[in-house]
RNA sequence: CGGGGCGUAGCGCAGCCUGGUAGCGCAUCUGCUUUGGGAGCAGAGGGUCGUGUGUUCAAAUCACACCGCCCCGACCA
């Protein structure tokens, strides 16, 4: 994409309303624009990041055996009356009345709806297990939205729902998601630690929050140091094999949010193993048994021929929130530093002197050949001053900057800058093309 | 929802206290110069001062109401 044809409204100054760094940088780099309290438009750069995050989530869900569907944002109140949550959910739920005076709501989550889909289509235990997920916008009418998309009212979320015949297999389903989550966050360059969580209003007896450690985190968290450096299950992890040891290895070490914190147990750890930090919740998984299947009568015929209530779990990932969480975890004073896997473009190509024949030609060659190789290149072909160009590129945080100017070219060189480390390297045009033309596999 | 604060040009702000018909910086446009880390000079465009009502000869400025947004707290992916 040529910057001259792209839409990327970057700002030098920070809008007054933004308090935390991710919110400031998202506004300054032109990722989002606020439309109302807690409601945002996603501009091209932000939209690209969102799509990258979404795709990683999707790939890991699929790998773990979950199946994608798409449920609507608007739901009927009747469905929620069945579970009793229409009354229980309170003012957080945005209620809407349609022209026929039918009561509707903008879904804050989808347990009822997925249970309805399940019960009307799955009749036998032979069809189990089933795990369905979707990636859809949700709305929770937070009393006080803040921190940009970190705590918006409208947010993009992946939510998966598992259905099993009995508690044992339901726990197996839970572990699949647990492992898929470890991989998902790691692929985004995040260290997310699973912590015992309060099951809250959704209920159930087994639940973990996945927490990214960041100074600006909303809650205090406590965990064992070894959790931070634990290796991630590989891409070819056998989900049908032993998931228990992977999960146990992690859940046996101390890790808890403030609400679940047990000071005595934590103090019992060796001092150098204790980590007290701030955390951002980026996922939450629950096993809640028959909490919804029972009131909504979701049953299948069991092996003995009698109907059995299905055992359910639900598994959320805050997709839009992750965009902010990644920035919180990865930025410097100049701007965002995107991990390669979620960067809106693979690299920036900076033409320091548009109009200079040799510079234009070198840039054009790099742009075309990397494009042909499948790389997403943001080519800054604009007339801005170099200082402004560099500042903008640092701000938007693409992992690599390929810098081409007449001075370097006179020596047969262009410059490659690593946004994260700041390291610069001089290469020939051909060497730079070769370097970036091959996409590293994760 | 309790407490606090703010709405003036795209962004950041001054002007309001003490009413007299709107200004600064950045950004934008034009010209010249400049050109490897957010340039300089000269000129230009852009605002129903959140909305409504009231007070007044006169309201960005005073009063009342409403709307919106932000911050702290209680609540949450």
């Amino acid at each position: 994409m040529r910057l001259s044809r792209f839409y990327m409204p970057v700002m030098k100054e920070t809008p007054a309303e933004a308090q935390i760094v991710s919110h400031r940088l998202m506004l300054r780099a032109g990722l989002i624009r606020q439309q109302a309290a807690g409601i945002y438009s996603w501009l091209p750069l932000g939209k690209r990041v969102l799509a990258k995050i979404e795709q990683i989530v999707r790939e890991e869900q699929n790998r773990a055996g979950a199946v994608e569907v798409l449920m609507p944002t608007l739901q009927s109140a009747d469905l929620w009356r069945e579970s009793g949550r229409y009354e229980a959910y309170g003012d957080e739920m945005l209620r809407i009345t349609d022209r026929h005076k039918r009561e509707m709501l903008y879904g804050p989550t989808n347990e009822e709806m997925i249970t309805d889909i399940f019960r009307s289509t799955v009749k036998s235990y032979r069809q189990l297990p089933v795990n369905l997920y979707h990636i859809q916008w949700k709305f929770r009418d937070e009393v006080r939205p803040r921190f940009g998309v970190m705590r918006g009212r409208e947010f993009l979320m992946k939510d998966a729902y598992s259905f099993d015949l009995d508690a044992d297999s339901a726990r197996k389903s839970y572990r699949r998601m647990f492992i898929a989550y470890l991989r998902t966050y790691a692929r985004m360059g995040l260290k997310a630690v699973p912590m015992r969580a309060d099951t809250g209003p959704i209920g159930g007896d087994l639940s973990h929050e996945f927490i990214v450690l960041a100074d600006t985190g909303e809650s205090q968290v406590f965990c064992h140091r070894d959790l931070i450096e634990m290796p991630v299950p590989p891409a070819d992890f056998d989900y049908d094999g032993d998931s228990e040891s992977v999960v146990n290895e992690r859940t046996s070490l101390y890790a808890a949010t403030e609400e679940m914190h047990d000071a005595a147990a934590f103090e019992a750890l060796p001092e150098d193993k204790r980590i007290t930090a701030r955390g951002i919740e980026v996922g939450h998984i629950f096993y809640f048994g028959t909490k919804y299947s029972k009131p909504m009568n979701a049953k299948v015929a069991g092996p003995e021929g009698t109907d059995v209530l299905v055992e359910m779990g639900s598994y959320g990932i805050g997709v839009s929130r992750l965009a902010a969480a990644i920035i919180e975890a990865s930025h410097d004073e100049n701007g965002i530093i995107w991990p390669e896997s979620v960067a809106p473009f693979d690299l920036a190509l900076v033409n320091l002197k548009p109009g200079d024949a040799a510079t234009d030609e070198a840039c054009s060659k790099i742009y075309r050949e990397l494009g042909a190789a499948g790389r997403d290149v943001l080519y800054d072909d604009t007339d801005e001053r170099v200082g402004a160009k560099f500042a903008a590129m640092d701000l938007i945080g693409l992992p690599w900057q390929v810098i081409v100017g007449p001075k370097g070219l006179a020596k047969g060189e262009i410059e490659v800058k690593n946004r994260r480390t700041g390291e610069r390297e001089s290469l020939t045009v051909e060497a730079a093309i070769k370097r970036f033309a091959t996409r590293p596999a994760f």
Side-chain angles (χ1 to χ4, degrees):
Chain A
M1 176 62 64
R2 284 173 180 272
L3 186 57
S4 60
R5 293 186 201 147
F6 195 52
Y7 174 70
M8 191 178 88
V10 297
M11 279 182 278
K12 197 149 126 187
E13 285 168 296
T14 304
E17 73 267 17
Q19 299 300 310
I20 62 167
V21 66
S22 63
H23 190 195
R24 285 202 294 266
L25 290 175
M26 289 181 87
L27 290 169
R28 282 192 58 208
L31 271 61
I32 55 170
R33 184 177 167 79
Q34 181 168 333
Q35 303 294 165
I39 299 178
Y40 293 83
S41 288
W42 291 77
L43 306 183
L45 231 37
K47 177 71 178 76
R48 281 173 167 260
V49 171
L50 211 49
K52 290 277 183 87
I53 294 171
E54 219 178 294
Q55 187 54 24
I56 291 173
V57 170
R58 179 174 288 120
E59 286 171 14
E60 294 304 329
Q61 289 292 292
N62 293 347
R63 213 190 303 257
V67 181
E68 187 169 13
V69 297
L70 182 59
M71 291 177 270
T73 52
L74 293 180
Q75 306 185 25
S76 158
D78 290 342
L79 212 44
W80 286 66
R81 290 207 171 88
E82 283 194 54
S83 69
R85 284 209 294 181
Y86 190 65
E87 290 72 27
Y89 222 95
D91 291 337
E92 298 245 308
M93 180 184 278
L94 181 63
R95 294 151 208 262
I96 300 165
T97 307
D98 74 10
R99 67 194 300 164
H100 300 293
K101 304 284 182 274
R102 281 184 293 238
E103 292 173 276
M104 312 288 290
L105 57 99
Y106 196 118
T109 177
N110 287 68
E111 279 83 4
E112 284 79 358
M113 186 170 277
I114 198 75
T115 303
D116 179 58
I117 291 171
F118 177 89
R119 71 182 172 185
S120 62
T121 52
V122 179
K123 302 295 180 188
S124 161
Y125 79 96
R126 291 171 178 274
Q127 293 166 271
L128 300 182
V130 174
N131 184 330
L132 301 174
Y133 75 97
H134 77 337
I135 300 174
Q136 177 63 291
W137 292 92
K138 306 275 190 292
F139 195 93
R140 290 184 194 168
D141 199 359
E142 297 277 347
V143 195
R144 191 185 156 208
R146 66 187 116 167
F147 305 149
V149 299
M150 189 80 89
R151 276 233 10 221
R153 292 193 292 171
E154 189 183 46
F155 55 96
L156 187 61
M157 183 172 167
K158 184 285 302 185
D159 39 325
Y161 303 91
S162 65
F163 300 87
D164 285 277
L165 182 63
D166 54 43
D168 257 12
S169 46
R171 285 169 185 273
K172 205 171 284 174
S173 293
Y174 183 91
R175 292 197 296 268
R176 282 175 174 255
M177 287 291 109
F178 188 105
I179 290 163
Y181 276 36
L182 293 175
R183 286 193 44 76
T184 301
Y185 299 121
R187 284 186 60 185
M188 295 172 194
L190 294 173
K191 290 191 189 303
V193 180
M195 303 197 178
R196 287 282 325 221
D198 186 7
T199 54
I202 295 182
D205 74 338
L206 180 57
S207 174
H208 287 90
E209 287 180 2
F210 286 75
I211 304 278
V212 171
L213 304 185
D215 293 340
T216 48
E218 56 206 328
S219 52
Q220 193 78 31
V221 297
F222 308 85
C223 73
H224 194 292
R225 181 172 297 280
D226 292 358
L227 280 169
I228 308 290
E229 295 304 330
M230 221 168 250
V232 178
D236 64 353
F237 179 81
D238 179 11
Y239 278 100
D240 295 316
D242 172 29
S243 58
E244 209 156 358
S245 62
V246 177
V247 172
N248 287 350
E249 192 183 17
R250 285 168 175 79
T251 53
S252 59
L253 292 176
Y254 189 87
T257 58
E258 216 161 7
E259 312 86 71
M260 300 292 284
H261 186 49
D262 175 352
F266 186 62
E267 299 299 327
L269 299 179
E271 181 146 15
D272 63 326
K273 294 294 188 187
R274 280 180 235 158
I275 293 184
T276 303
R278 304 296 296 178
I280 301 169
E281 180 182 352
V282 291
H284 202 156
I285 61 180
F286 300 89
Y287 162 57
F288 48 70
T290 59
K291 183 178 165 79
Y292 299 96
S293 55
K294 194 169 181 185
M296 296 187 68
N297 202 32
K299 294 176 177 172
V300 295
E304 280 84 41
T306 53
D307 281 354
V308 183
L309 288 173
V310 289
E311 294 279 326
M312 295 175 57
S314 76
Y315 315 90
I317 290 182
V319 174
S320 48
R321 163 180 282 198
L322 269 169
I326 292 166
I327 295 172
E328 289 295 336
S330 181
H331 66 271
D332 64 15
E333 64 281 3
N334 296 319
I336 302 168
I337 302 174
W338 290 115
E340 299 198 16
S341 59
V342 296
F345 290 91
D346 295 318
L347 58 98
L349 173 61
V350 183
N351 184 332
L352 293 180
K353 195 167 174 118
D356 176 80
T359 311
D360 286 350
E361 195 191 317
C363 285
S364 172
K365 180 178 166 71
I366 295 168
Y367 181 61
R368 282 182 288 108
E369 294 195 17
L370 289 182
R375 305 316 302 254
D376 247 338
V377 179
L378 182 62
Y379 172 24
D380 184 351
D381 58 343
T382 64
D383 251 337
E384 283 297 316
R385 306 177 56 79
V386 296
K389 288 187 179 218
F390 288 141
M393 286 304 147
D394 284 352
L395 175 63
I396 69 169
L398 303 182
W400 298 97
Q401 294 170 14
V402 175
I403 300 161
V404 182
K407 288 184 188 170
L409 281 178
K411 293 183 287 181
E413 290 175 345
I414 62 174
E415 192 171 89
V416 170
K417 176 183 159 186
N418 180 307
R419 172 66 179 88
R420 186 176 296 279
T421 63
E423 282 167 349
R424 295 155 187 278
E425 198 181 337
S426 290
L427 296 173
T428 63
V429 169
E430 281 69 25
I433 291 172
K434 198 172 165 194
R435 159 88 75 89
F436 290 109
T438 48
R439 185 184 289 269
F442 181 81

